[in-house]
């Protein structure tokens, strides 16, 4: 296991999408470190170390959050807002991965501080390639934020 | 001639020094009109010297115009001993003057009439001033009488003192009937009379009246008892120690009705706007949902069919593999349809961001974008001189992208494709066109050309979703322009469009553009 218990937090309510995303990730043998949460509320519990996730620690956040926008209970935009407005979670890289490229979704996500925005392509090969690129970039190319980045200022 | 009058004349002569002091012209004449005495005032007034005037008959010398026959005046004088009236005299220089004339009869010791003393006061300038005033009054009266507004004047006791023709028409009372009546009882409906009286009292007591000098609306009462709205202004005019009130007013029934109709239409329009806004919002929610939710199952179909192909393809027979490819092709087409549909909605919602745009530069940019589609093709481009126009460059670029990629697509089977872009003037209107020598189409189906999801070619021959031209038309309409097409099968097609009224100056032209 790497330094983080959870490498990727996949926030996705659709089981088939979870399956497709996991298939895209499987090739890199990383799936053991992928945590899947099925709605916005659970995503926040996980990221804010509360409820079922109270054993988690703020200074060991996931290396990457793949966030769908259309989610039950709490929309992806709300999750993004909470994460990016709290000093303890603000530094976590969040990538919105969603079906649409509606201008207002894009604009709002960037305003809220998203790190990247990727459309889930209808073409599976393209989809697969994008997921792999994201994983490669955020987990291997990018220098992750140090633990000090997750403390209260 | 008797001795008496001479003596009397002597008496006048004796008094001459005194009588010469006055500016009034004074003369004495006998009962036949012969002048016996003529003072300095008379000399000055008439221009005749005393020597010239003496012994002349006065009405001959002065060409006197009498207000009634001289005999009657003399009869009055004999009866009353005096007469007063206005005469017109001619002076020596031929000009006429009006005089206020006072005659006094002198009798001799026996009581017989002997002579008449005339004192004449020149009132010509006063008469002229009066005439001017009278003419001015007549003019004013004519203005008031011919006015389209009713004019009513009222004194401080509330009685009508003036009532013009339009007032007669408006209220049904003739001037003769209305004059002297109480205004309140004549034109104010009973329920407002008390307030009106109080208002008048208040003004007379304080000099303040909130409605005075302003334009306002009230209900008025016609002679036949019907009430109607009038618009009026009341102006108080101070006359000596009291006031008169002038009111101009007119019946606004028709305007009121029009206003009501307009208010109704406004309300209806506001309702429609609310409904429209709601419909728009719903449509937006719908597109948003389409954009997210319709793609998801499509991705799943596409994803798993590809996984199937990759993982089990080698073990499948060729028919099964072919079926999988059909599924994938369907997924791609569906994906394209969704994208096009969303674009159409987006264009509909988008507000125009118009600015001056060099169309030649725009077309160049489009051709650069379309490079991948024109590679390995023989295309002769004829790009004409295009103007700079005010339009939304992003949207108009889409127009050219669609029209030019259509032209590229439908000339595919041409050995030598010719594609033209240019402008012409049709009845003074600027018209742009994109023309090709491609496969064309039958004009019988031209109505379907710009309809959404309408296609004039089989998918196997020419791919497409049938959204492109619908988009083009939407953009053109957003600019207030028109688009139409001409074509012939296997000869080619031409698309013409205008960019709307903002390009045109004259009303006539704009009506041509708007009159699709």
């Amino acid at each position: 296991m790497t330094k983080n218990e959870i490498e990727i937090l996949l926030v996705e309510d659709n089981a088939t999408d979870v399956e497709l995303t996991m298939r895209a990730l499987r090739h890199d043998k990383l799936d053991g470190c992928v945590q899947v949460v099925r709605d916005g509320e659970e995503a926040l519990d996980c990221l804010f170390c509360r409820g079922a996730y109270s054993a988690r620690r703020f200074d060991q956040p996931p290396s990457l959050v793949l966030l769908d926008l259309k989610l039950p209970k709490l929309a992806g935009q709300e999750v993004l807002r909470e994460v990016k407005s709290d000093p303890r979670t603000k530094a976590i890289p969040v990538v919105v991965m969603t079906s649409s490229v509606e201008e207002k979704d894009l604009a709002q996500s960037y305003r809220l501080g998203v790190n990247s925005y990727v459309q889930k392509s209808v073409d599976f090969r393209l989809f697969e390639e994008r997921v792999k690129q994201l994983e490669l970039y955020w987990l291997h190319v990018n220098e992750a934020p140090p633990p000090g980045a997750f403390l209260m200022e | 001639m008797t001795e008496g009058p001479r003596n009397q004349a002597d008496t006048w002569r004796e008094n001459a020094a005194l009588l010469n002091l006055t500016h009034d012209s004074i003369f004495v004449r006998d009962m036949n009109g012969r002048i016996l005495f003529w003072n300095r005032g008379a000399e000055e007034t008439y221009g005749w010297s005393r020597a010239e005037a003496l012994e002349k008959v006065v009405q001959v010398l002065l060409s006197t115009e009498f207000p009634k026959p001289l005999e009657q005046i003399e009869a009055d004088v004999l009866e009353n001993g005096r007469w007063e009236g206005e005469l017109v005299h001619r002076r020596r220089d031929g000009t006429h003057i009006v005089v206020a004339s006072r005659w006094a009869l002198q009798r001799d010791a026996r009581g017989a009439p002997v002579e008449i003393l005339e004192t004449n006061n020149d009132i010509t300038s006063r008469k002229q001033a009066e005439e001017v005033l009278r003419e001015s009054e007549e003019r004013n009266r004519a203005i008031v009488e011919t006015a389209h507004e009713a004019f009513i004047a009222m004194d401080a006791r509330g009685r009508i003192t003036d009532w013009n023709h339009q007032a007669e028409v408006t209220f049904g009372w003739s001037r003769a009937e209305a004059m002297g009546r109480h205004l309140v009882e004549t034109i104010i409906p009973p329920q407002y009379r008390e307030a009106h009286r109080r208002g008048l009292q208040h003004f007379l007591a304080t000099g303040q009246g909130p409605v005075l000098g302003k334009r306002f609306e009230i209900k008025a009462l016609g002679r036949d008892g019907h009430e109607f709205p009038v618009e009026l202004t009341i102006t108080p005019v101070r006359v000596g120690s009291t006031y008169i009130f002038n009111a101009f007013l007119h019946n606004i029934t028709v305007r009121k009705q029009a206003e009501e109709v307009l208010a109704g239409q406004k309300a209806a329009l506001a309702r429609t706007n609310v409904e429209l806004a709601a419909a728009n919002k719903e449509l937006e929610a719908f597109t948003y949902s389409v954009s997210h939710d319709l793609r998801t199952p499509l991705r799943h179909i596409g994803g798993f069919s590809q996984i199937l192909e990759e993982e089990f393809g080698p073990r499948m027979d060729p028919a099964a593999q072919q079926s999988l490819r059909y599924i994938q092709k369907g997924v791609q087409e569906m994906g394209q349809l969704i994208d096009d549909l969303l674009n159409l909605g987006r264009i509909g919602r988008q507000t125009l961001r118009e600015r001056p745009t060099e169309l030649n530069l725009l077309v160049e940019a489009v051709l650069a974008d379309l490079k991948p589609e024109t590679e390995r093709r023989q295309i002769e481009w004829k790009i004409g001189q295009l103007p700079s126009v005010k339009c939304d460059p992003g949207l108009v670029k889409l127009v050219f992208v669609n029209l030019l990629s259509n032209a590229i697509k439908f000339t595919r089977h041409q050995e030598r494709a010719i594609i033209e872009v240019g402008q012409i003037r049709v009845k003074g209107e600027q018209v742009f066109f994109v023309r090709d020598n491609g496969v064309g189409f039958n004009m019988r189906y031209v109505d379907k050309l710009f309809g959404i999801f309408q296609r004039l070619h089989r998918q196997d021959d020419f791919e497409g979703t049938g959204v492109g031209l619908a988009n083009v038309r939407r953009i053109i309409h957003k600019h207030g322009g028109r688009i139409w097409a001409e074509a012939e099968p296997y000869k080619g097609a031409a698309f013409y469009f205008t960019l709307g009224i903002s390009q045109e100056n004259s009303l006539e032209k704009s009506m041509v553009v708007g009159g699709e």
Side-chain angles (χ1 to χ4, degrees), chain B residues 377 405-419 435-443 445 449 455-458 461-463 486-495:
Chain B
R377 288 278 309 274
S405 60
N406 274 353
I408 292 166
K409 181 160 72 179
F410 292 113
T411 53
R412 189 188 293 161
H413 303 307
Q414 237 51 43
E415 239 173 70
R416 224 178 116 71
I418 303 171
I419 300 174
R435 191 184 290 148
D436 66 59
N437 64 340
V439 70
F441 57 86
N442 191 326
M443 284 298 277
Y445 305 115
L449 201 59
R455 308 200 60 245
L456 300 188
H457 300 278
R458 282 180 304 199
D461 297 339
F462 294 100
E463 69 291 343
E486 285 168 9
E488 206 179 317
Y490 309 110
K491 290 269 176 70
F495 287 84

Side-chain angles (χ1 to χ4, degrees), chain A residues 128-138:
Chain A
E128 196 176 24
E129 195 183 303
R130 283 180 184 174
V131 172
K132 284 184 199 306
Q133 278 175 359
L134 281 176
E135 187 193 338
L136 176 72
Y137 179 79
W138 287 106

Side-chain angles (χ1 to χ4, degrees), chain B residues 213-466:
Chain B
K214 293 194 193 99
R215 185 183 291 259
F216 64 104
E217 292 174 13
I218 58 164
K219 272 272 195 301
L221 179 69
R223 186 180 195 170
D224 60 7
H226 93 282
E227 291 180 17
F228 52 93
V230 295
E231 184 180 71
L232 78 160
T233 47
I234 302 176
T235 317
V237 179
R238 199 176 178 96
V239 180
S241 62
T242 181
Y243 280 97
I244 58 166
F245 299 88
N246 291 333
F248 282 98
L249 54 91
H250 57 266
N251 189 335
I252 53 169
T253 305
V254 174
R255 197 182 80 193
K256 275 289 181 196
Q257 283 165 351
E259 277 172 5
E260 267 167 44
V261 170
L262 202 63
Q265 285 170 344
K266 253 178 153 172
L269 198 63
R271 275 195 302 277
T272 311
N273 272 340
V274 169
E275 283 165 19
L276 208 60
N280 253 336
K281 219 171 170 70
E282 220 165 83
L283 191 67
E284 222 165 288
F286 172 77
T287 10
Y288 188 76
S289 171
V290 165
S291 147
H292 278 276
D293 300 342
L294 224 54
R295 274 204 189 96
T296 304
L298 202 59
R299 273 190 297 105
H300 299 163
I301 297 168
F304 283 101
S305 66
Q306 269 171 16
I307 289 166
L308 261 183
E309 195 189 356
E310 276 168 21
E311 294 186 5
F312 304 101
R315 280 178 273 160
M316 285 181 181
D317 63 33
Q321 286 179 9
Q322 181 61 33
S323 298
L324 272 179
R325 279 193 289 276
Y326 283 141
I327 292 173
Q328 282 160 26
K329 191 157 168 268
V331 167
Q332 268 171 17
E333 281 169 20
M334 182 74 183
Q336 191 59 48
L337 270 175
I338 292 172
D339 287 348
D340 287 351
L341 200 57
L342 289 173
N343 272 332
L344 190 66
R346 205 167 288 142
I347 289 163
R349 290 196 305 274
Q350 202 165 318
T351 48
L352 281 188
R353 277 167 260 190
E354 290 186 301
R355 53 190 153 94
T357 306
E358 286 290 344
L359 288 186
N360 274 110
L361 295 181
L362 199 81
V363 170
E364 262 175 48
V366 171
L367 291 182
D369 288 351
L370 294 177
K371 205 98 198 169
E373 295 177 42
T374 57
E375 271 168 4
R376 292 191 295 278
R377 288 278 309 274
Q378 285 287 325
I379 299 174
E380 185 184 336
W381 294 99
K382 293 182 176 173
I383 311 294
Q385 189 65 43
L386 300 174
S388 169
V389 297
K390 194 164 159 269
C391 66
D392 185 318
L395 289 179
V396 172
K397 187 176 176 189
L398 268 183
V399 168
F400 281 108
V401 166
N402 273 287
L403 294 181
L404 288 172
S405 60
N406 274 353
I408 292 166
K409 181 160 72 179
F410 292 113
T411 53
R412 189 188 293 161
H413 303 307
Q414 237 51 43
E415 239 173 70
R416 224 178 116 71
I418 303 171
I419 300 174
E420 285 177 78
V421 181
Q423 65 150 332
I424 47 171
R425 285 220 156 247
V426 180
K427 289 178 189 152
E429 195 181 359
Q430 198 168 45
V431 178
F432 305 101
F433 67 86
V434 173
R435 191 184 290 148
D436 66 59
N437 64 340
V439 70
F441 57 86
N442 191 326
M443 284 298 277
R444 197 193 303 167
Y445 305 115
V446 73
D447 289 349
K448 294 190 167 184
L449 201 59
F450 299 100
I452 186 159
F453 299 133
Q454 297 286 350
R455 308 200 60 245
L456 300 188
H457 300 278
R458 282 180 304 199
Q459 190 71 29
D460 293 348
D461 297 339
F462 294 100
E463 69 291 343
T465 54

Side-chain angles (χ1 to χ4, degrees), chain A residues 9 42-49 56 58 62 65 79 83 89 92:
Chain A
L9 176 66
E42 200 185 345
L44 286 181
D45 281 352
C46 178
L47 290 165
F48 284 89
C49 314
R56 290 185 46 76
F58 275 101
V65 179
V79 174
V83 169
T89 53
I92 303 171

